[in-house]
Amino acid sequence: MFNDWTVKRDSLTQPYLQSANTQSFVTGSAKLALKKITFTLDYTGDNKDDSRAQLELLMVSGPIEIYGPDGRNYKCVLQEFGEENRMDFSDAVSVPYTFYGYAHGYRITVPDAWGGFWCYSTVPYTDCIISATSRNTGTMVAGINFTNINVGDQIVIDGENHVVTINGENGMLKCDMTEFPKIKPQNNALESSEHMKLSYIPVFM
């Protein structure tokens, strides 16, 4: 069970430029830090040490998903093991943990994002995955131009994993992309000459 569950609210970094001797300023893109998540787990029973070892191996193996007692899903990475506490009057072992991560919902798929769509994230920008089928030997998908392709080619722009593929193969050399498309909260419209399927995982502040 989770004991002492706490989630520290994201900190916000908002860059800005201010002209000399004026009150006016221009803001840049905001950047959210990961949430700090802390909790204590109690291990009990004859196999408590083995159970702990298996769980901690999972923790250190990479990002993990945690469903918190606050009802939210968190994708996070382990930052620190705390000092264990073995109770004299019990066989329980208590261990505190510190993670960093973000709260998110379940993946949302927009079958046709060509005419605009709604994003349920509350952070400034969210990564997404866009796919489309080319109707010409050159086309534009989400503001990215593709050339030297074939009619019927399957184009995938994967902003979550930072890859572009055409029919499953590397497609970076056939497009003019300088950065992966990101979507913002609420209404979105991506310029495209093809119908696009889009999916994303909403992220919450």
Side-chain angles (χ1 to χ4, degrees), residues 168-179:
E169 302 293 333
N170 183 11
M172 292 293 290
L173 296 180
K174 293 186 177 183
C175 67
D176 64 355
M177 185 183 70
T178 57
E179 62 180 355

Side-chain angles (χ1 to χ4, degrees), residues 66-86:
I66 296 177
Y67 182 73
D70 57 1
R72 282 191 164 186
N73 295 299
Y74 294 87
K75 185 172 185 177
C76 48
V77 292
L78 180 67
Q79 180 69 22
E80 182 182 6
F81 292 113
E83 184 176 353
E84 69 175 36
N85 181 20
R86 293 182 179 265

